[in-house]
Amino acid sequence: MIRFGIAGFGLHAVRRLMPGFALAQNCKVVALSRRDPNKAREAAAQYGIPHVFASTEELSRCSEVDAVLVTTPNACHLQDVLAAVAAGKPVLCEKPMGMNADECRQMVEAARKAGVLLGVAQVFRFEESTAKFRERVAAGDIGRPIFARAEFSFPGAGHHRTWLYNRASSGGGPIADVGVHCIDALRYILQDEPRRVTAVGRSDEESGDVESAAILTLEFQRGTLATVLVSFRAHYRTPIEIVGDAGALRANDALNVERPITLELWRDGKRVAEDTVSNHLAYAKQVDSFSAAVEGREVFPVLGKQGLQNQIILDAAYRSLSWGLNSGKSQEIPTFSDHLAE
């Protein structure tokens, strides 16, 4: 039984992480840290968490903590991951991994030098829906993938995570927050890497200094053209569609974890097959998988290098963003090997 400490115990921990730990088989939460001591004590009492700390450093030094789950604002990820690594604790970091690829590189290299496991919480890698997409594409059910589409939007006005609208804390708007989910899901499903990205974004009176909506075009190495649509303003949607030369796979709200998802296979204008799956165990599977990796029983599927590669793509997307210096120009995407020391 791996004992986790959650650094930055906030809304995400309440809505997603603790329900996931309640369903997990091989781990539990024994500690939390939060800057507000009163809120920290309230959360600990509510969930029966015995150890409460004011900082990630203190949490990481606790002998009762076997692994650290970093859920602080994005700008804090680097210092929090390095603190856990320095304490010799395996660390699972929420997405996006950092503010930029250089931060992620520092995390990966520090963990490698310390011999500490570093993973990234790209939870949709643990969904049944994305697994089904990956299986069917790999099996050739739609032939060669020509187009791919992933969307993630939600009405974010009045959202409790106010730091999302401050670039200094978030690193960006919906591209960074939920676009990273879409990008990672497409990489995983297609088993391919994008080589070029183009981004167009919009801001509004409520979005601060980040975008409120954006569209990305990704050109994958094996030829698939993909679009990623993200927004903090649009109606909640998380569809995925992969269109090949022999058919199409699609699912409405493919990435949601709250209700069943029906994945449809279409050929010649007709639905020829469907699978109905549930993603309600995704958060439990994520922490159980990381726990198994801590124990040496399996390899965690989203290691720090995967988080670094996602961040490299995000960095390229922001370089391309329409109001930036490059005015919507396509940006080449290097591989993570170009960012790591030999």
Side-chain angles (χ1 to χ4, degrees):
M1 183 65 67
I2 297 299
R3 301 166 297 178
F4 274 85
I6 297 180
F9 194 101
L11 180 64
H12 183 59
V14 171
R15 291 187 59 197
R16 299 299 187 198
L17 298 181
M18 293 310 293
F21 275 107
L23 297 171
Q25 301 295 311
N26 193 40
C27 54
K28 62 182 180 180
V29 179
V30 301
L32 65 83
S33 66
R34 192 167 183 171
R35 286 174 294 179
D36 186 320
N38 292 326
K39 290 182 178 180
R41 286 191 292 268
E42 289 173 4
Q46 179 180 355
Y47 292 101
I49 298 172
H51 303 288
V52 182
F53 301 98
S55 69
T56 303
E57 291 83 355
E58 292 175 320
L59 180 147
S60 299
R61 291 196 297 266
C62 177
S63 61
E64 298 296 312
V65 170
D66 300 316
V68 176
L69 177 46
V70 170
T71 66
T72 49
N74 302 341
C76 301
H77 286 183
L78 175 60
Q79 66 184 41
D80 290 334
V81 167
L82 294 182
V85 167
K89 298 295 172 67
V91 54
L92 179 59
C93 181
E94 265 299 336
K95 61 76 201 166
M97 188 177 175
M99 297 287 280
N100 53 58
D102 182 64
E103 286 194 354
C104 298
R105 176 189 55 77
Q106 292 181 57
M107 298 180 213
V108 171
E109 292 185 345
R112 182 176 61 182
K113 290 177 181 177
V116 170
L117 176 66
L118 171 61
V120 183
Q122 293 288 166
V123 70
F124 298 135
R125 295 252 188 151
F126 300 90
E127 289 189 331
E128 292 186 26
S129 57
T130 49
K132 283 290 184 182
F133 268 100
R134 179 181 168 101
E135 290 169 9
R136 284 196 172 275
V137 170
D141 287 358
I142 61 168
R144 182 169 63 92
I146 306 298
F147 296 127
R149 173 176 60 92
E151 300 180 30
F152 203 131
S153 61
F154 63 92
H159 200 282
H160 292 288
R161 292 187 297 163
T162 55
W163 55 266
L164 287 176
Y165 296 102
N166 180 350
R167 187 178 295 274
S169 298
S170 65
I175 293 175
D177 185 50
V178 291
V180 68
H181 276 315
C182 297
I183 291 166
D184 188 72
L186 291 177
R187 292 178 58 223
Y188 177 71
I189 290 167
L190 296 171
Q191 299 185 61
D192 196 7
E193 295 293 339
R195 60 185 181 87
R196 188 178 294 114
V197 61
T198 307
V200 176
R202 295 289 181 268
S203 60
D204 58 37
E205 64 280 0
E206 297 179 10
S207 62
D209 60 355
V210 302
E211 75 282 2
S212 60
I215 180 170
L216 311 182
T217 302
L218 297 167
E219 302 171 46
F220 279 81
Q221 292 178 2
R222 293 201 291 268
T224 305
L225 297 176
T227 57
V228 169
L229 288 80
V230 293
S231 177
F232 285 164
R233 298 289 176 264
H235 178 72
Y236 176 80
R237 282 170 53 82
T238 61
I240 290 179
E241 183 173 34
I242 314 292
V243 181
D245 56 12
L249 284 167
R250 64 189 185 211
N252 292 324
D253 291 341
L255 299 179
N256 92 86
V257 297
E258 296 173 344
R259 56 185 176 273
I261 302 99
T262 299
L263 188 150
E264 300 176 344
L265 173 62
W266 288 74
R267 292 185 184 136
D268 300 321
K270 299 178 181 178
R271 185 176 58 194
V272 297
E274 66 177 38
D275 292 305
T276 299
V277 298
S278 173
N279 293 331
H280 80 284
L281 290 177
Y283 283 92
K285 289 180 178 179
Q286 177 174 251
V287 291
D288 271 339
S289 177
F290 191 78
S291 299
V294 170
E295 294 174 332
R297 295 187 288 109
E298 64 178 62
V299 176
F300 189 68
V302 202
L303 296 173
K305 286 184 178 181
Q306 293 291 333
L308 169 58
Q309 187 60 40
N310 283 333
Q311 189 67 54
I312 291 168
I313 298 167
L314 293 179
D315 286 0
Y318 278 113
R319 289 196 301 271
S320 173
L321 203 59
S322 60
W323 65 73
L325 295 176
N326 291 288
S327 189
K329 293 181 180 179
S330 296
Q331 297 291 312
E332 297 293 326
I333 300 170
T335 60
F336 64 75
S337 60
D338 297 325
H339 287 253
L340 291 174
E342 293 297 332

